[in-house]
């Protein structure tokens, strides 16, 4: 068969007839117990419980298997494990491979709760975390110790949007040790815009809460691993009690089918607004991976298939508290709130001290106030007018 294009792949993903049972979509199977008709059936299920065979609700139902197959194919892996949230996916993936006394390298620009997990939980198990500059590239080799077990990446960075030189990092790590597990938080790319496993990364982790589910109405995490990591990831996550509810898993699977179209519109709207922002006299820099002003833009062009609606921009000057409030408090379309990846636009504002608190590498932030926006599916002109009024109000 000819190589299937991403739009077509996303329409087909997870629609294995075993799970759709003659409908278009997989069934929603809610069950804890699985009934075995014979002892032989029970023994068969026990032997195959890691392999999409009904065994017990916590191991997954037909709904889970359909979505796991879809994610495995999308991320080009050997299998997928589901979690109740993106944060649970990240933390359990790390816990699945770490032992007391180990060392882990984490990008200093990782999603804030990932850093907090390392600082507040891993320390309790005598696991040392070193953070690195997201632009470190091959120099990561210098940070690797004999007990380094995991390298944890995230591209683009949360908030500041730097793009790693992924092949340089992967090669440098592999040259030092083939045992180190390389993981990436691939939430921004939604499994579509970047294929980490094809770059030699072992585990690609996502908050499916974001673009995959796509409607800001469910929490779900997923980790897709390659052949060498999937069994350990699956078994350890199971031992840690991880599971996801079938209704949310169903919604995430449904989200996959419109993901290509949604991403393209988020990308077009995002670029329209990023380019408009670049022209505004108040704006110093727009941190959008598809614009040359974003650190690592050339790596983005080389490794990614496109962008979406999530990026940041920094003003030339720091807004006073009063200006900051008048910018954020009266927007019509950009709602103030965490998370992103739904159909709606969102905004968060950061002063320099807020950013420094979240960055664990040497970074020279300007004084200017920074805004992280998620550009939704509204008409971009309405969004531009919304921001324009905010600039005027905060003069
Ligand atoms: C939101 C987010 C997470 C956490 O996902 P939840 O589903 O909210 O737990 C992790 N990483 C990134 C980059 C995110 O944006």
């Amino acid at each position: 068969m000819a190589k299937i294009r991403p739009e077509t792949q996303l329409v087909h993903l997870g629609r294995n007839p075993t799970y759709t049972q003659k409908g278009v979509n997989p069934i929603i199977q809610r069950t804890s117990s699985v009934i075995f008709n014979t002892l032989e059936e029970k023994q068969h299920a026990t032997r195959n419980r890691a392999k999409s065979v009904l065994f017990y609700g916590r191991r997954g139902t037909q709904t889970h298997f359909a979505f796991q197959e879809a994610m495995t194919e999308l991320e080009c892996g050997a299998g997928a494990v589901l979690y109740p949230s993106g944060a649970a996916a990240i933390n359990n993936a790390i816990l699945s491979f770490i032992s007391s006394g180990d060392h882990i390298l984490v990008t200093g620009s990782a999603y804030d709760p990932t850093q907090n997990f390392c600082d507040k939980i891993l320390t309790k198990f005598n696991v040392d975390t070193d953070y690195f500059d997201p632009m470190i590239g091959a120099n990561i080799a210098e940070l690797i110790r004999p007990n380094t077990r995991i390298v944890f990446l995230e591209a683009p960075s949360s908030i500041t949007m730097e793009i790693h030189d992924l092949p340089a990092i992967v090669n440098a790590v592999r040259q030092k040790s083939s045992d180190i597990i390389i993981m990436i938080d691939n939430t921004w790319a939604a499994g579509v815009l970047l294929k980490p496993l094809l770059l030699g990364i072992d585990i690609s982790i996502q908050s499916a809460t974001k673009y995959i589910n796509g409607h800001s109405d469910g929490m779900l995490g997923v980790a897709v691993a390659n052949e060498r990591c999937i069994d350990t990831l699956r078994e350890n996550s199971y031992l840690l009690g991880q599971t996801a509810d079938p209704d949310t898993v169903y919604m995430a699977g449904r989200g996959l089918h419109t993901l290509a179209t949604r991403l393209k519109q988020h990308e077009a709207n995002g670029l329209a607004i990023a380019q408009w922002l670049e022209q505004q006299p108040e704006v110093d820099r727009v941190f959008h991976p598809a614009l040359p002003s974003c650190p690592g833009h050339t790596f983005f062009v080389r490794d990614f298939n496109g962008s979406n609606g999530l990026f940041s921009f920094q003003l030339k000057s720091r807004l006073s508290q009063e200006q900051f409030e008048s910018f954020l408090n009266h927007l019509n379309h950009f709602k103030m709130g965490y998370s992103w990846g739904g159909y709606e636009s969102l905004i968060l504002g950061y002063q320099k001290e807020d950013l420094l608190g979240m960055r664990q590498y040497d970074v020279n932030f300007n004084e200017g106030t920074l805004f992280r926006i998620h550009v939704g599916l509204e008409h971009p002109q309405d969004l531009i007018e919304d921001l324009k009024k905010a600039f005027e109000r905060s003069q």
Side-chain angles (χ1 to χ4, degrees), residues 85-88 90 111 154 158 185 187 207 209-210 219-220 339-340:
S85 69
I90 292 165
Y111 178 63
E154 182 177 328
S158 277
D185 184 334
T187 304
S207 164
T209 307
K210 308 293 166 57
M219 309 281 307
L220 185 68
S339 199
W340 48 273

Side-chain angles (χ1 to χ4, degrees), residues 311-327:
F311 64 96
S312 303
F313 62 95
Q314 189 169 27
L315 306 185
K316 286 180 181 148
S317 55
R318 180 192 176 96
L319 297 180
S320 68
Q321 187 59 23
E322 201 184 332
Q323 290 170 320
F324 200 30
E325 284 173 14
S326 66
F327 193 105

Side-chain angles (χ1 to χ4, degrees), residues 149-165:
R149 184 71 182 130
I150 294 173
V151 170
F152 193 94
L153 306 166
E154 182 177 328
S157 302
S158 277
I159 322 288
T160 43
M161 308 304 290
E162 296 98 329
I163 314 286
H164 300 302
D165 185 347

Side-chain angles (χ1 to χ4, degrees), residues 264-327:
K264 273 183 219 166
Q265 195 62 50
H266 284 290
E267 175 176 46
N269 290 4
L271 281 170
I273 286 159
Q275 282 154 2
W276 177 81
L277 283 166
E278 275 193 319
Q279 308 301 317
Q280 303 314 301
E282 298 88 348
V283 173
D284 182 35
R285 277 171 90 185
V286 180
F287 297 103
H288 185 301
L291 299 181
S293 50
C294 191
H297 166 72
T298 53
F299 307 137
F300 173 80
V301 172
R302 184 191 60 197
D303 300 333
F304 285 70
N305 300 318
S307 61
N308 58 37
L310 189 80
F311 64 96
S312 303
F313 62 95
Q314 189 169 27
L315 306 185
K316 286 180 181 148
S317 55
R318 180 192 176 96
L319 297 180
S320 68
Q321 187 59 23
E322 201 184 332
Q323 290 170 320
F324 200 30
E325 284 173 14
S326 66
F327 193 105

